[in-house]
Amino acid sequence: VWSANTGNAPSSKVLFGKHQREGAVFIDVGVPSTCGGAASDAVVEFVMDAVADLTEFDESDFETAVAAASGAAVANVNVVLAKTVVIPFECAECTEIDYTMGNYAVPASETTYACKAYPIGVTGTRDIIRLDVIKDNANVLHHIVVFQTVIEPTKMLADGPGPCTAMPAGATPIWAWAPGGVPFDLPSHVGIRVGDGKAKWLIQQYHYNNPILAAGEIDDSGIKVFYAPPGVTREQEAGFMFLGVPNSQIAIPGQRQKH
């Protein structure tokens, strides 16, 4: 935590939050009560402008930005940078497998759903304990949904990556990623059980968004799956539940004030 002012603690408000892979960053700006509301708003605006372009919140860069911002607005401004640190994932005996799209040629159309199926690549009964994304072509990758299935997706395996709008029978979702998403670590007592007597294949459905209809876009994005060590199964087996309404019912008519 770093503060520009070690004096009296003023009333403050969190004005910005950003979740990063290594943790979460929150910028807290407080202005002494002797400063008027307009001055307080000015400080917030200056600080936001100063840090808006910082992609990595390095402490020294942040101090420089805040010093410039607070000096331009009003003295005695309290600015606090708080970072939560996430312990890196470590599992020396885990099995780590990458499942990627294999340099898929993304069509020059605005919206494409494409799928690729994979054998899980491990034997016996195993628990998936972590999933992470492998991002390749951010120009067109919109999101990824990962499914598991106990029924061999014969056609998908034979065809390789290609267009798809529906999953084969028996496929159930286990994870989804979209920009801004972070690795999915299951609780220490929970695993997604696959292998013997369970799902033996994974299917990934990719949504590509290509609004400018660019030709020649290639993507090799995918997922990185971490399996618990052989012979290690966790106490609880994870499940997946759908909540809400079907996508087909989410249609808001135009020119309505309420719906």
Side-chain angles (χ1 to χ4, degrees):
V1 175
W2 175 81
S3 174
N5 178 17
T6 57
N8 295 329
S11 59
S12 61
K13 57 185 175 182
V14 173
L15 63 98
F16 179 75
K18 180 180 180 183
H19 193 282
Q20 299 185 144
R21 182 173 180 126
E22 69 273 15
V25 175
F26 296 95
I27 301 172
D28 178 62
V29 172
V31 181
S33 58
T34 53
C35 298
S40 174
D41 291 341
V43 172
V44 170
E45 181 178 352
F46 273 105
V47 174
M48 286 299 292
D49 287 345
V51 301
D53 294 330
L54 295 180
T55 55
E56 297 294 334
F57 285 83
D58 179 81
E59 185 171 326
S60 60
D61 291 341
F62 187 78
E63 290 185 26
T64 302
V66 168
S70 59
V74 63
N76 277 335
V77 177
N78 184 62
V79 181
V80 177
L81 168 67
K83 292 184 76 170
T84 60
V85 179
V86 176
I87 299 174
F89 177 81
E90 295 181 356
C91 181
E93 297 181 356
C94 286
T95 303
E96 178 183 331
I97 300 180
D98 294 348
Y99 307 87
T100 64
M101 199 58 168
N103 294 321
Y104 177 67
V106 179
S109 57
E110 182 172 355
T111 298
T112 299
Y113 287 91
C115 293
K116 187 175 180 181
Y118 318 75
I120 58 173
V122 294
T123 59
T125 301
R126 302 292 290 273
D127 275 2
I128 295 173
I129 60 173
R130 177 184 171 93
L131 298 105
D132 198 0
V133 69
I134 301 169
K135 289 180 287 186
D136 180 39
N137 191 341
N139 292 332
V140 291
L141 182 62
H142 187 276
H143 71 264
I144 304 172
V145 183
V146 184
F147 296 80
Q148 64 176 359
T149 178
V150 297
I151 302 173
E152 183 174 0
T154 308
K155 189 175 188 314
M156 280 189 176
L157 290 168
D159 292 348
C164 69
T165 55
M167 289 297 106
T172 57
I174 59 172
W175 186 56
W177 173 89
V182 296
F184 177 44
D185 292 295
L186 283 95
S188 59
H189 64 294
V190 179
I192 300 172
R193 197 144 302 156
V194 296
D196 291 349
K198 300 288 183 178
K200 293 186 178 181
W201 297 271
L202 297 178
I203 301 172
Q204 293 182 69
Q205 184 184 62
Y206 296 71
H207 175 200
Y208 292 107
N209 183 47
N210 187 3
I212 63 172
L213 310 182
E217 294 285 357
I218 304 296
D219 183 55
D220 194 28
S221 297
I223 59 167
K224 187 182 295 291
V225 177
F226 296 80
Y227 296 90
V232 176
T233 53
R234 293 186 166 182
E235 179 184 353
Q236 299 292 334
E237 183 177 349
F240 193 98
M241 178 183 294
F242 276 111
L243 298 174
V245 298
N247 289 342
S248 60
Q249 296 182 18
I250 305 176
I252 302 176
Q255 307 299 316
R256 296 281 186 90
Q257 292 185 345
K258 294 182 179 180
H259 178 69

